[in-house]
């Protein structure tokens, strides 16, 4: 029996903060990321992959906005689908080229994933997630009226649209993900948290404008395929207590209860490390064995127990 793992890629794995986001830059990053992923496969793991899409979906929205006089604007769920396709393609191409190079006989497929959310999720009444371009006060007033968007002043930097970030409760394509994974395919699923959809009053699947946290979707995916390990790759080698203070202390190994305690003490902020630790706890509560949080470069060492932070059941 192969050991199973979900690899969750942070923003950095596809686009670095300092880059513009050209196709060339993203292909190069994704290729390097794929080299690390293949090392995990060589270690004997069967993996599924998920990834963030923040900068990419931001660029897609900006592109539509800049072209507003000549192109129709697409709703956010459609933009998330576009970003899943784009990033999935780059991963499929890179992974397949490397698999071929090492004569490894494996298929890779991106599965456009619709993530189910509750129509009654409290986030729909109180959206908090800023997305897309910054607007002027004048543009903001116009867009609020024309598009019924909620636009807020984003920490004095300008006006920005905020959308709900509801919790994932399922994937429409659950069966396909499981079947493909079980037969040995490397499945790329729930990219960017997945395309948010609800089941409406008529019982139909319907896209909604929102952004699902990719860490929460990763945890759901890992539970769904009953992965042993959830490997969350971000841009720090280990998580810390008292992060960014003179008292900072790295964490090597903790249990789910300790993680809960540190979370409640405020060591992991909501916009960054919080959702990762929360989704780690969730996955372990639902039967997962181990969560590892580390950076790409340390992925293989961390899996061997020589780097990163591991969180396990009590
Ligand atoms: P990703 O794209 O991988 O989701 P995020 O920026 O959302 O990346 O989260 C990772 C970031 O969390 C790190 O770069 C770090 O700056 C920040 N962070 C906040 N609190 C902590 C902590 N306690 N330990 C380590 N990193 C932390
Ligand atoms: Mg994040």
């Amino acid at each position: 029996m192969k050991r199973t793992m979900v690899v969750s890629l942070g923003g950095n794995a596809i686009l670095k903060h300092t880059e513009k986001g050209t196709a060339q830059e993203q292909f190069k990053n994704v290729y390097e990321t794929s080299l690390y992923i293949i090392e995990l496969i060589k270690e004997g793991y069967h993996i599924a992959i998920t990834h963030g899409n923040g900068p990419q979906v931001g660029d897609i929205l900006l592109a539509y906005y800049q072209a507003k006089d000549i192109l129709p604007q697409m709703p956010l769920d459609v933009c998330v689908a576009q970003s899943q396709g784009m990033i999935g393609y780059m991963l499929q191409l890179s992974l397949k080229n490397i698999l071929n190079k090492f004569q490894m006989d494996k298929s890779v497929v991106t599965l456009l994933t619709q993530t189910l959310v509750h129509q009654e999720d409290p986030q729909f009444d109180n959206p908090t997630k800023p997305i897309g371009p910054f607007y002027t006060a004048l543009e903001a007033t116009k867009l609020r009226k024309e598009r019924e968007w909620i636009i807020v002043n984003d920490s004095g930097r300008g006006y920005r649209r905020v959308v709900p970030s509801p919790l994932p409760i399922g994937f429409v394509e659950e069966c396909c993900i499981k079947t493909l994974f079980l037969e040995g395919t490397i499945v790329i699923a729930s990219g960017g948290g997945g395309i948010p959809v609800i089941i409406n009053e008529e019982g139909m699947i319907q896209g909604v404008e929102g952004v699902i946290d990719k860490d929460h979707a990763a945890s759901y995916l890992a539970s769904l395929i009953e992965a042993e390990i959830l490997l969350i790759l971000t841009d720090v080698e280990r998580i810390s207590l008292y992060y960014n203070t003179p008292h900072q202390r790295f964490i090597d190994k903790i249990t789910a209860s300790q993680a809960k305690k540190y979370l409640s003490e405020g060591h992991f902020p909501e916009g960054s490390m919080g959702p990762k630790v929360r989704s780690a706890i969730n996955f372990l509560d639902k039967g997962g064995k181990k969560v590892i949080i580390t950076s790409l470069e340390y992925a293989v060492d961390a899996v061997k127990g020589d780097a990163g932070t591991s969180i396990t059941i009590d």
Side-chain angles (χ1 to χ4, degrees):
M1 258 292 276
K2 282 238 161 160
R3 309 187 62 192
T4 53
M5 181 190 282
V6 164
V7 180
S8 173
L9 301 172
N12 219 21
I14 307 160
L15 185 56
K16 313 252 188 279
H17 300 300
T18 48
E19 294 172 340
K20 274 176 83 174
T22 63
Q24 210 180 10
E25 285 166 342
Q26 297 192 61
F27 269 117
K28 181 173 172 285
N29 296 332
V30 170
Y31 187 82
E32 280 164 15
T33 295
S34 300
L35 286 170
Y36 289 111
I37 295 176
I38 298 291
E39 288 306 308
L40 294 167
I41 297 170
K42 285 189 185 163
E43 286 296 314
Y45 287 92
H46 177 37
I47 63 167
I49 301 170
T50 188
H51 58 81
N53 71 341
Q56 291 78 12
V57 87
D59 283 359
I60 292 168
L61 288 164
L62 178 61
Y64 279 121
Y65 186 67
Q66 292 298 334
K68 60 186 179 306
D69 299 328
I70 46 171
L71 283 184
Q73 304 292 295
M74 290 295 146
L76 189 49
D77 49 317
V78 175
C79 296
V80 173
Q82 289 187 19
S83 75
Q84 279 191 353
M86 177 175 115
I87 298 168
Y89 158 54
M90 292 182 179
L91 279 165
Q92 275 181 219
L93 180 144
S94 298
L95 287 165
K96 195 65 191 165
N97 274 335
I98 302 167
L99 287 166
N100 287 345
K101 185 169 135 192
F102 292 120
Q103 292 170 336
M104 293 160 80
D105 182 22
K106 247 182 182 310
S107 314
V108 193
V109 73
T110 302
L111 217 133
L112 279 194
T113 311
Q114 304 176 79
T115 303
L116 285 161
V117 300
H118 260 304
Q119 203 166 1
E120 321 285 283
D121 191 292
Q123 272 281 318
F124 285 111
D125 295 326
N126 185 22
T128 52
K129 175 96 187 156
I131 54 144
F134 286 91
Y135 306 107
T136 63
L138 202 68
E139 285 173 314
T141 310
K142 200 163 156 246
L143 288 166
R144 280 189 195 110
K145 216 169 110 204
E146 276 175 12
R147 313 270 280 275
E148 296 183 357
W149 285 355
I150 299 178
I151 301 180
V152 300
N153 192 334
D154 189 350
S155 348
R157 292 181 298 170
Y159 290 83
R160 219 163 165 213
R161 182 179 179 200
V162 286
V163 295
S165 185
L167 282 177
I169 56 168
F171 300 136
V172 175
E173 297 77 12
E174 284 187 7
C175 267
C176 315
I177 295 174
K178 275 202 220 167
T179 308
L180 285 164
F181 185 74
L182 281 177
E183 61 131 60
T185 298
I186 301 174
V187 187
I188 302 162
S190 73
I195 305 158
V197 298
I198 55 163
I199 304 292
N200 68 17
E201 275 84 14
E202 287 88 51
M204 309 287 269
I205 303 167
Q206 185 187 316
V208 287
E209 296 210 78
V211 167
I212 295 158
D213 185 278
K214 74 133 197 318
D215 297 312
H216 288 132
S219 155
Y220 188 90
L221 176 66
S223 302
L224 174 75
I225 61 172
E226 296 177 45
E228 259 175 73
I229 300 178
L230 169 59
L231 175 63
I232 302 177
L233 298 177
T234 182
D235 47 15
V236 287
E237 190 254 314
R238 276 175 285 176
I239 65 179
S240 301
L241 299 177
Y242 307 101
Y243 181 68
N244 245 348
T245 73
H247 305 289
Q248 175 163 345
R249 215 170 75 218
F250 290 116
I251 307 174
D252 295 327
K253 242 172 130 67
I254 44 171
T255 66
S257 312
Q258 285 170 313
K260 280 179 201 168
K261 181 173 159 279
Y262 294 142
L263 188 65
S264 70
E265 289 170 359
H267 288 283
F268 314 121
E270 266 329 305
S272 54
M273 197 47 78
K276 293 183 207 314
V277 175
R278 223 179 268 287
S279 62
I281 295 167
N282 234 323
F283 171 62
L284 296 171
D285 281 349
K286 287 201 277 179
K289 290 215 173 71
K290 190 192 233 182
V291 177
I292 300 170
I293 302 178
T294 191
S295 57
L296 260 175
E297 299 75 25
Y298 287 95
V300 172
D301 287 343
V303 164
K304 292 178 178 165
D306 300 330
T309 300
S310 72
I311 312 176
T312 47
I313 38 180
D314 289 79

